[in-house]
């Protein structure tokens, strides 16, 4: 075979060399000086050949080298920074450099601008050799800022040196100074200054910078506002060693140079000021939905204005979903809103009239706002497209929007550096929806709240509902399913959003019923978080920090009773003191941060905004306080069923796993030993359903294995070879994908041997749901799980073969069973101890924790914590047994449902508390220290009584009222004065 040789023509090499030299010289001439600081010689070698025939290129050339992408193009309407930034939206951009030629080049006789961009899309190596020594950096910092540089050494060791390799020392020091300010914050810091003669420099610094799409939103925002970016440098500036260290979060630093013919005028312009306001909120608002397109892009709205309307629309949807969730689905609500942009603008005008900071008095603001509201109402009434059904829907949506704006007492909308919106609402907003349909009224308990807060940020909304002026209750973050098919994940979030207001309302009301023993009424705070790319603690913590700050914006008052945030116009005009507690997805690191933040900002309760601090609080999981109360009701119920747990056989099934708070500690109590022997030797725990797994064993789950797992592992770590009874099984919630189909592992005992197989999703869900509904145990203790798990549509499954699946249910979890299902179950003979009775000891503990911290102070509380906890545990047992005795006495006497009796007791005590509170207003002499001390653990009687003066006045009234009300309920007469006198 002949071999053909390729002969390289010397002329070809010469021409190629000449082109390389021509373009290299041209780059040196036209590109900014800093271009050659950011591109290595190797990168320039790759760029030069791409320029040879650039006049023939109509698009954007792309060069991929590992984790680096280089884009080269001639600037045009089609090829520009907005286009390329959109191209990079699906990449994890960790760094970028954008350079536009400072001089135009002639291409085919026409002047053109050359643009060269490079993007880092992989993890930047951070542990390379520093460019400057620590000593050099410290000396330069102290010289520049006349400060010792506290924190510089620490930050120096966390610098992404590879991303700052081009920075001279003075620039690095300036960015270090910015990073120190923002590494413990969630907001974006933005500065602008004059750069070269025709440029201004915009510098952004932020922690936890989003990597997908965020860079595009910056460019889109600037372009929409008429700013042209000549060059830009995006850097992941520092990294984080510990995800739980909120004071040392990873910082990104972005510097953009904007073209400005007259920099001095631009720096003073309203356009720039508004642009900076938009940039500061880019990390927590959507910019890819219908409202953004219609309001911002089509009609020139500012991002904060459009986001307010978006928040209002989300609120309206959460309410209208209880009227008709199909007609008022989220998509159609926003679509109808977008059709009437002028009316939305009028709504914003009304809002701005009420809440824009300024000297105008509330009366004047209110008068103007009412006039605008009248104009809005007239426009809504006049809507007529000829399609009556559609018009009715649209009118309802806009009337609901007007109703929302009419019932806002205060909002943090105008507060700077926020990362979430918060609104304090008048609960009277519910009257509007009640007037539309009876379905709305029927969706909630009859009692209406005392106060409602609403929160909004991208991928999340939330509510705090309380039923008295002073109230407490947990904060749970609900995170719908983050695995499986994308469409199912979307459905999970949409369904949770439809239900969120009912969930928070019902749980707050339940809390109010159980809080009868303490001076705080009931509340609940629930925030819904969507995590599109799977669960990440960083997103959870960021959302919780943001909402906590937004909450405190509206409840943090100074000594004169005025809000500390001077940008908040307050129509409520009285001080609100609110406590919260930890709940689902609230972890110790976040509790600590909230305690410290509330103390730093001067909140009246100091660290007492939230209970359960691992440093000073009484951790519910550690001490098992909620389970302690549940267990007392279990023992009382067993005895009423004529079962002696110390010697008789009995069986239990539980929802919630060994790692959970209530379930784990209840298992600990059930498996407790004395002198090496079980307290309940004939107990069988036959079934447990946890999030990660569900298991059943008719012979009883292995005690040693359960004991090993308590407070350490979830149920999916249960050793399957410990299963004993025939048919016993464990199924696991984590699916395995097989040719695109989800399959679930099942291990089970078959013919006396352990076997395993994979089952379909439908089979898995059937077994998972039936595990507690169909397998018999004497007592069922729901200790975890979603609200309304047993409801009117599935309650009959609790009677397989027409026999109840348990004799009694002790509700360790809130609202596990819906009210109507409770009634149906009880009418078929199942005893139910309601959550408001069974799990009240957790909130009682939190109440004493906050009160003790106020009286003793942080340091003294730490010293006396052991003694205090011991006394509180005795109080918990006493409170649980006292109510249990009352309930079963009246149950036997009246035959009423047990849940009705719980409700009756709570209503009586709460009503009496309210009545006494009013009475104390006329008889302040009854607000006595001896009554307060009777409410407190015994150790306070040994201390200086003057310490009680640290308790806020509102709290002292509430404590006395609650203490007297609880005594009176058991010594009732017809005269309140006589009743009070009889218990003093």
């Amino acid at each position: 075979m002949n071999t053909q040789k390729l002969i390289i023509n010397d002329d070809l090499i010469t021409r190629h060399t000449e082109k390389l030299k021509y373009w290299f010289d041209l780059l040196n001439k036209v590109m900014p000086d800093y271009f050659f600081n950011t591109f290595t010689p190797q990168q320039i070698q790759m760029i030069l050949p791409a320029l040879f025939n650039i006049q023939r290129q109509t698009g954007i050339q792309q060069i991929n080298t590992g984790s680096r992408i280089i884009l080269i193009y001639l600037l045009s309407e089609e090829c520009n920074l907005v286009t390329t930034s959109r191209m990079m939206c699906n990449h994890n951009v960790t760094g970028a450099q954008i350079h536009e030629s400072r001089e135009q080049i002639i291409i085919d006789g026409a002047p053109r601008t050359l643009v060269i961009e490079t993007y880092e899309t992989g993890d930047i190596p951070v542990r390379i050799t520093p460019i400057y020594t620590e000593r050099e950096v410290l000396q330069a910092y102290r010289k520049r800022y006349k400060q010792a540089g506290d924190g510089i050494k620490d930050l120096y060791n966390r610098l992404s040196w590879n991303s700052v390799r081009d920075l001279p020392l003075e620039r690095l020091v300036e960015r270090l100074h910015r990073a120190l300010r923002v590494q413990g914050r969630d907001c974006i810091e933005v500065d602008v200054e004059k750069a070269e003669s025709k440029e201004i420099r915009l510098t952004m610094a932020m922690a936890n910078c989003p990597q997908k799409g965020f860079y595009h939103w910056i460019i889109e925002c600037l372009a929409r506002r008429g700013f042209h970016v000549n060059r830009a440098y995006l850097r992941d500036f520092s990294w984080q060693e510990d995800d739980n260290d909120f004071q040392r979060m990873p910082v990104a630093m972005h510097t953009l140079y904007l073209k400005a013919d007259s920099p001095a005028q631009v720096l003073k312009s309203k356009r720039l000021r508004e642009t900076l306001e938009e940039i500061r909120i880019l990390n927590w608002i959507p910019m890819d939905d219908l409202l953004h397109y219609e309001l911002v892009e089509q009609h020139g709205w500012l991002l904060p204005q459009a986001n307010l309307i978006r928040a209002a629309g989300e609120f309206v949807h959460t309410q209208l979903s209880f009227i008709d969730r199909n007609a008022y689905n989220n998509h159609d609500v926003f679509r109808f809103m977008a059709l009437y942009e002028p009316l939305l603008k009028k709504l914003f005008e009304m809002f701005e009239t009420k809440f824009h900071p300024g000297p105008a008095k509330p009366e004047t603001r209110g008068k103007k706002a009412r006039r605008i509201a009248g104009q809005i109402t007239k426009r809504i009434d006049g809507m007529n497209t000829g399609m009556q059904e559609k018009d009715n829907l649209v009118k309802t949506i806009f009337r609901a929007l007007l109703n929302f704006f009419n019932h806002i007492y205060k909002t943090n909308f105008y507060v700077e550096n926020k990362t979430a919106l918060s609104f304090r609402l008048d609960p009277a907003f519910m009257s509007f929806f009640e007037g539309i349909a009876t379905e709305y009224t029927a969706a909630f308990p009859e009692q209406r709240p005392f106060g409602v807060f609403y929160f909004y940020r991208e991928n999340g909304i939330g509510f705090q509902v309380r039923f008295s002026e002073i109230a407490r209750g947990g904060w749970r973050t609900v995170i719908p399913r983050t695995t499986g098919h994308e469409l199912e994940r979307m459905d999970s979030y949409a369904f949770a959003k439809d239900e969120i207001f009912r969930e928070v309302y019902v749980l707050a009301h339940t809390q109010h019923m159980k809080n009868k023993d303490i001076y705080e009424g009931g509340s609940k705070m629930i925030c819904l978080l969507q995590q599109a790319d799977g669960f990440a603690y960083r997103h959870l913590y960021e959302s919780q920090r943001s909402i906590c700050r937004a909450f405190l914006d509206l409840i943090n008052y100074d000594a004169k009773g005025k809000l500390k945030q001077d940008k908040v116009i307050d129509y409520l005009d009285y001080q609100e003191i609110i406590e919260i507690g930890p709940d689902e997805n609230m972890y110790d690191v976040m509790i600590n941060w909230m305690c410290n933040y509330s103390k730093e900002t001067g909140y009246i309760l100091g660290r007492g905004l939230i209970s359960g601090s691992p440093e000073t609080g009484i951790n519910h999981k550690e001490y098992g306080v909620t389970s302690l109360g549940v267990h007392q009701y279990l023992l009382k119920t067993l005895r009423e069923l004529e079962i002696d747990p110390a010697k008789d056989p009995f069986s239990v099934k539980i929802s919630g796993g060994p790692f959970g708070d209530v379930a784990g500690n209840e298992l600990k109590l059930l498996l407790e030993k004395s002198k090496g022997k079980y307290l309940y030797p004939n107990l069988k725990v036959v079934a447990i359903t946890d999030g990660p797994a569900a298991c059943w064993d008719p012979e009883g789950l292995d005690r040693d294995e359960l004991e090993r797992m308590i407070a350490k592992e979830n149920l999916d770590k249960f050793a399957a070879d410990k299963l004993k009874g025939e048919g016993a099984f464990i199924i696991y919630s984590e699916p395995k994908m097989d040719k695109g189909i989800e399959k679930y592992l099942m291990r089970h005992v078959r013919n006396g041997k352990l076997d395993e197989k994979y089952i379909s999703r439908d089979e898995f869900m059937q077994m998972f749901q039936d595990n507690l509904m169909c397998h018999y145990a004497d007592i069922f203790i729901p200790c975890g799980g979603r609200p309304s798990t047993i409801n009117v549509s599935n309650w009959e499954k609790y009677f397989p073969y027409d026999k109840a699946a348990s004799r009694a249910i002790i509700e360790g979890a809130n609202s596990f069973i819906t009210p109507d299902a409770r009634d149906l179950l009880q009418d078929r003979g199942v005893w139910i101890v309601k959550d408001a009775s069974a799990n009240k000891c957790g909130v009682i503990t939190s109440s004493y924790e906050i009160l003790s911290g106020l009286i003793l102070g942080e340091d003294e509380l730490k010293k006396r914590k052991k003694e205090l906890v011991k006394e509180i545990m005795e109080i918990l047992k006493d409170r649980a047994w006292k109510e249990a005795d009352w309930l079963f006495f009246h149950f036997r006497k009246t035959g009423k449902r047990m849940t009705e009796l719980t409700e009756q007791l709570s209503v009586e005590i709460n009503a009496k508390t309210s009545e006494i509170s009013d009475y104390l207003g006329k008889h302040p002499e009854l607000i006595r220290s001896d009554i307060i001390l009777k409410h407190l653990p015994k150790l306070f009687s040994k201390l200086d009584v003057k310490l009680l003066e640290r308790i806020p006045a509102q709290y002292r009234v509430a404590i006395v009222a609650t203490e007297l009300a609880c005594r009176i309920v058991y010594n009732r007469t017809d005269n309140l004065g006589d009743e009070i006198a009889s218990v003093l």
Side-chain angles (χ1 to χ4, degrees):
M1 181 177 67
N2 294 329
T3 301
Q4 185 177 12
K5 295 182 179 180
L6 294 177
I7 302 173
I8 302 176
N9 191 303
D10 288 345
D11 289 342
L12 178 62
I13 297 175
T14 301
R15 289 196 300 272
H16 193 84
T17 303
E18 288 173 350
K19 283 189 174 182
L20 283 172
K21 185 176 186 308
Y22 169 78
W23 279 105
F24 181 77
D25 291 341
L26 189 60
L27 286 180
N28 273 283
K29 177 184 177 184
V30 303
M31 297 304 288
D33 294 338
Y34 214 70
F35 172 82
F36 295 94
N37 288 13
T38 56
F39 281 89
T40 65
Q42 292 80 8
Q43 290 171 336
I44 292 177
Q45 288 178 23
M46 290 187 289
I47 291 171
L48 288 173
L51 299 173
F52 286 2
N53 298 306
I54 196 167
Q55 70 275 13
R56 298 175 188 172
Q57 300 291 335
T58 58
I60 298 167
Q61 297 185 71
Q62 180 171 323
I63 303 171
N64 294 346
T65 60
S67 62
R68 182 177 292 112
I69 298 174
I70 299 173
L71 304 178
I72 303 169
Y73 59 92
L74 296 173
L75 189 64
S76 67
E77 288 187 6
E78 294 79 22
C79 302
N80 51 55
L81 205 47
V82 174
T83 303
T84 56
S85 64
R86 186 179 295 113
M87 288 171 55
M88 300 304 299
C89 275
N90 292 325
H91 294 277
N92 289 319
V93 176
T94 57
Q97 297 88 37
I98 288 81
H99 294 94
E100 196 176 273
S101 61
R102 63 186 177 188
E103 297 180 22
Q104 292 188 316
I105 59 178
I106 304 301
I107 301 293
D108 292 337
R112 303 291 299 275
T113 297
L114 175 67
V115 184
I116 301 176
E117 308 172 9
T118 181
Y119 297 89
E120 301 288 346
T121 60
D123 293 333
I124 293 179
V126 293
R127 298 183 184 272
I128 66 171
T129 303
I131 300 165
Y132 307 104
T133 67
E134 183 181 291
R135 183 178 179 183
E136 288 174 322
V137 171
L138 275 171
Q139 286 179 342
Y141 186 87
R142 290 165 182 165
K143 181 179 178 181
R144 171 79 181 268
Y145 294 104
K146 313 301 181 188
Q147 298 176 12
D150 295 337
I152 287 293
K153 288 184 179 181
D154 175 73
L155 186 55
Y156 175 90
N157 292 319
R158 293 185 292 106
L159 278 183
S160 301
W161 285 103
N162 195 55
S163 69
V164 299
R165 64 185 183 274
D166 59 297
L167 290 178
L169 182 56
E170 62 274 12
R171 291 272 183 91
L172 176 64
V173 163
E174 186 272 335
R175 282 156 176 73
L176 281 167
H177 189 62
R178 293 177 188 271
L180 282 175
R181 294 200 301 263
V182 304
Q183 66 177 351
R185 304 162 63 189
D186 293 299
C187 58
I188 300 175
E189 182 181 279
V190 190
D191 292 319
V192 288
E193 58 190 334
K194 185 177 180 299
E196 297 181 1
S197 59
K198 297 290 186 179
E199 287 182 334
I200 60 173
R201 180 167 49 241
L202 185 150
T203 305
M204 298 173 56
M206 65 175 297
N208 287 324
C209 179
Q211 293 180 330
K212 282 190 176 182
F214 181 68
Y215 165 60
H216 172 62
W217 301 137
I218 300 171
I219 299 303
E220 193 255 295
C221 178
L222 290 169
R224 180 170 37 78
R225 303 293 296 167
F227 290 103
H228 183 86
V229 178
N230 288 335
R231 52 196 175 102
Y233 308 93
L234 285 70
R235 313 172 192 273
D236 272 8
F237 187 75
S238 67
W239 49 279
Q240 184 179 28
E241 290 181 318
D242 180 1
D243 288 342
N244 293 338
D245 188 349
F246 300 155
Q247 300 307 312
R248 294 174 178 83
M249 295 187 291
V251 173
M253 201 80 64
H254 303 334
T255 308
L256 301 96
Y257 290 81
L258 312 181
K259 184 177 180 181
D261 291 332
S262 178
Q265 288 185 348
V266 172
L267 289 171
K268 297 177 182 177
S269 67
K270 179 182 178 183
R271 175 170 64 110
L272 179 62
R273 185 174 67 253
E274 292 176 342
T275 302
L276 297 182
E277 290 176 4
E278 293 193 323
I279 288 174
R280 289 188 182 102
I281 65 173
L282 287 181
N283 62 328
W284 62 275
I285 67 165
M287 288 182 62
D288 56 357
D289 65 354
L290 180 63
L291 286 183
H292 179 80
Y293 176 78
E294 288 293 335
L295 301 185
V296 177
E297 295 186 13
Q298 298 299 309
H299 292 95
W301 285 52
L302 298 179
L303 292 180
Q305 298 171 346
N307 198 49
L308 174 71
I309 297 298
R310 184 181 290 112
E314 289 284 11
F315 175 85
V316 163
H317 166 70
T318 66
Q319 305 303 310
L320 291 175
S321 65
F322 295 106
I323 294 172
D324 188 335
R325 67 184 53 191
N326 293 316
Y328 298 106
N329 64 80
N330 193 269
H331 174 78
D332 283 345
V333 167
F334 276 54
R335 181 169 62 88
F336 289 140
M337 287 169 60
L339 287 173
Y340 292 87
E341 183 270 340
L343 196 49
L344 294 177
K345 187 172 290 183
K346 204 69 179 173
L347 284 166
F348 182 79
E349 180 188 349
M350 173 188 163
F351 173 84
E352 192 168 39
T353 299
K354 289 179 67 176
F355 294 107
H356 192 282
K361 295 181 179 180
E363 302 81 32
T364 305
R365 293 171 178 271
K367 185 177 180 180
K368 291 181 179 179
R370 285 190 293 273
R371 185 174 67 248
I372 299 171
Q375 297 169 359
I376 294 170
T377 299
K378 188 174 181 180
R379 291 192 188 185
I380 295 172
D381 292 343
M383 289 178 174
N384 188 349
T385 64
M387 295 177 284
Q388 185 176 356
E389 185 175 350
K390 174 190 169 184
D391 287 344
N392 288 338
L393 291 175
V394 176
K395 286 179 180 181
T396 298
I397 290 168
F398 274 91
R399 285 170 181 151
L401 287 168
L402 179 59
N403 178 65
F404 170 72
F405 286 115
N406 270 330
H407 287 90
I408 300 173
Y409 277 134
K410 48 186 172 178
T411 174
N412 75 333
F413 179 79
Y414 291 101
V415 172
E416 296 178 0
N417 296 325
K418 61 185 174 293
T419 48
L421 290 175
S422 56
F423 305 86
R424 167 59 159 96
L425 301 173
D426 179 352
F429 75 80
M430 296 183 70
S431 298
F432 167 78
F433 299 99
E434 290 173 330
I436 298 175
T438 57
E439 289 84 353
Y440 183 87
T441 305
F444 307 101
E446 183 178 350
Q447 186 177 358
R448 288 295 169 250
F450 179 88
V452 176
F453 287 85
Y454 167 58
F455 308 96
Y456 174 78
R457 73 191 308 267
E458 184 180 25
N459 292 326
I461 62 173
F463 291 93
Q464 200 264 3
V465 173
R466 77 188 201 273
F467 281 87
S468 64
E469 180 181 355
I470 298 172
R472 72 166 297 107
W475 175 357
R476 70 172 49 176
T477 302
V478 177
I479 306 173
R481 181 179 178 182
T482 58
T483 59
H485 197 284
E486 181 180 359
L487 293 177
E488 289 187 334
R489 296 200 304 270
M490 291 167 60
D491 284 346
S492 296
Y493 180 73
F495 179 79
K497 190 158 61 170
D498 286 347
E499 285 291 318
I500 185 173
F501 187 66
R502 172 157 49 194
E503 181 173 343
V504 69
Y505 196 113
V506 170
L507 291 176
H509 186 262
T510 298
Q511 193 75 44
H512 193 57
M513 294 296 103
K514 80 169 69 170
N515 283 18
K516 54 188 172 292
D517 300 89
I518 57 177
Y519 61 91
E520 304 103 325
S523 69
K524 199 72 176 181
M525 185 166 172
I526 298 182
C527 296
L528 182 66
L529 176 62
Q530 182 179 32
Q531 299 218 42
D533 296 325
F535 177 80
Y537 284 103
R538 179 174 69 84
H539 296 144
L540 170 66
Y541 295 151
E542 183 179 6
S543 173
Q544 290 173 337
R545 288 193 305 267
S546 296
I547 290 171
C548 176
R549 289 191 182 100
F551 198 8
L552 275 171
D553 284 342
L554 302 187
I555 61 173
N556 198 3
Y557 294 79
D558 61 22
K560 296 180 180 179
K562 298 293 183 182
L563 281 169
K564 292 183 178 181
Q565 281 289 1
D566 59 0
K567 297 294 179 66
V568 177
I569 304 298
D570 186 1
Y571 287 89
L572 192 61
D573 203 29
Y574 69 81
Q575 183 172 4
E576 296 188 279
I577 305 175
I578 295 177
E579 303 172 27
I580 52 180
D583 203 324
E584 184 179 335
N585 288 312
M586 180 62 69
Y587 299 102
D588 285 352
V589 62
M590 194 66 226
I591 296 170
N592 250 351
W593 180 88
M594 291 172 63
C595 288
N596 292 331
Y597 180 74
S598 63
K599 181 180 179 180
E600 290 166 7
T601 55
Y603 186 53
I604 189 171
L605 300 181
R607 291 172 57 86
L609 170 67
I610 186 169
S611 57
S613 165
E615 295 179 359
T616 59
I618 303 172
N619 187 280
H620 289 196
K621 190 170 184 177
E622 178 183 354
Y623 294 101
V625 292
T626 304
S627 304
L628 179 66
V630 173
H631 197 66
Q632 308 315 306
Y633 279 95
L634 169 65
L635 297 178
K636 177 67 174 176
T637 302
L638 287 171
R639 289 169 186 174
E640 291 290 329
L641 291 170
E642 299 182 350
I643 296 172
D644 183 349
K647 59 181 181 180
D648 295 337
F650 70 100
S651 56
V652 169
K653 56 185 177 180
I654 295 175
S655 70
F659 191 67
D661 169 11
V662 184
N665 281 298
E666 179 57 36
L667 284 168
K668 186 177 180 179
L669 291 169
L670 288 169
L671 303 175
E672 192 174 1
K673 295 177 181 177
S674 176
K675 297 180 181 181
K677 295 183 179 180
Y678 287 111
L679 294 182
Y680 314 118
N682 296 310
L683 160 71
K684 288 182 181 180
V685 180
V686 295
I688 300 177
T689 295
D690 194 9
C695 61
W696 173 68
D697 191 332
E699 297 298 321
L701 294 164
D702 188 271
R703 292 193 186 199
D704 292 336
E705 181 66 3
L706 289 176
E707 193 172 3
R708 177 191 68 80
M709 299 170 66
I710 289 171
K712 295 185 182 72
E713 295 178 322
N714 290 315
L715 189 61
D716 57 345
K717 301 302 182 186
F718 183 91
D721 59 5
K722 301 288 185 180
L723 296 171
K724 301 183 288 291
E726 183 64 26
F729 67 80
I730 180 169
I731 52 176
Y732 303 89
S733 299
E734 186 64 34
K736 175 185 176 182
M737 300 304 293
D738 182 12
K739 298 180 181 179
I741 299 174
E742 292 181 2
K743 292 187 175 181
Y744 295 81
L745 178 61
M746 172 185 176
R747 290 176 174 159
H748 60 118
V749 177
R750 183 180 179 186
N751 298 324
K753 295 181 180 180
L754 184 66
D755 197 1
E756 69 175 49
K757 65 177 181 179
Y758 281 92
I759 57 179
S760 70
R761 182 183 61 178
D762 292 340
E763 290 173 312
F764 167 82
M765 288 306 301
Q766 192 68 51
M767 293 182 70
F768 193 86
Q769 294 167 353
D770 288 353
N771 189 41
L772 300 176
M773 295 285 281
C774 298
H775 290 131
Y776 178 82
D778 294 311
I779 308 290
F780 172 33
I781 313 176
C783 295
R786 299 301 303 146
S788 305
T789 297
I790 300 179
N791 54 65
V792 72
S793 66
N794 66 5
W795 72 275
E796 287 182 297
K797 293 182 70 175
Y798 207 73
F799 295 86
Y801 312 110
D802 206 34
K803 178 184 176 182
S806 71
R807 297 174 69 182
I809 299 173
I810 316 294
E811 292 187 339
N814 286 326
S815 302
F816 189 84
I817 310 173
T818 60
D820 45 8
R822 282 194 189 112
D823 291 346
L824 292 165
L825 288 168
Q826 289 174 107
D827 290 346
R828 291 281 297 272
V830 180
W831 295 359
I832 298 180
V833 179
K834 197 171 184 288
D835 46 16
S837 293
N839 68 13
K840 70 177 184 176
C841 287
V843 73
I844 295 173
T845 304
S846 297
S847 175
Y848 280 123
E849 174 193 323
I850 299 302
L851 200 53
S852 299
L854 281 172
I855 298 170
L856 296 175
E858 189 174 332
D859 294 336
E860 190 67 19
L861 178 59
K862 289 179 181 178
K863 291 180 185 177
R864 297 180 175 271
K865 182 175 175 180
K866 186 176 182 180
E867 179 185 3
L868 181 66
V869 169
K870 183 179 179 181
E871 292 185 359
I872 289 174
M873 299 290 267
E874 290 303 316
I875 292 173
L876 298 182
K877 287 183 179 179
D878 177 70
R879 297 280 175 86
W881 274 105
K882 183 177 291 185
E883 182 171 344
D885 284 341
W886 188 96
L887 287 174
F888 277 102
F889 173 80
H890 285 84
F891 177 58
R892 298 291 191 191
K893 180 180 179 180
T894 67
K896 288 184 177 180
R897 300 179 185 125
M898 192 88 73
T899 55
E900 289 181 17
L901 291 169
T902 289
E903 191 92 5
Q904 176 184 321
L905 181 62
S906 297
V907 169
E908 286 185 17
I909 293 177
N910 287 338
K912 188 61 66 176
T913 299
S914 178
E915 188 180 358
I916 294 174
S917 294
D918 294 338
Y919 186 86
L920 292 176
K922 301 173 184 176
H923 299 275
E925 70 279 0
L926 293 176
I927 306 171
R928 294 173 4 199
S929 297
D930 62 315
I931 301 176
I932 295 174
L933 288 171
K934 274 289 187 181
H935 182 79
L936 296 171
K938 293 177 182 178
L939 74 85
F940 290 100
S941 298
K942 308 170 189 175
L943 305 179
D944 188 345
V945 73
K946 291 183 178 179
L947 289 173
L948 300 183
E949 295 175 3
R950 295 178 177 178
I951 304 174
Q954 302 101 303
Y955 277 37
R956 291 197 291 271
V957 173
I959 292 169
V960 171
T962 300
E963 179 65 20
L964 295 178
C966 287
R967 299 182 198 177
I968 287 171
V969 165
Y970 300 98
N971 298 276
R972 183 172 302 283
T973 70
D974 295 326
N975 182 279
L976 182 59
D978 292 341
E979 288 177 342
I980 292 174
S982 70
V983 295
L984 288 177

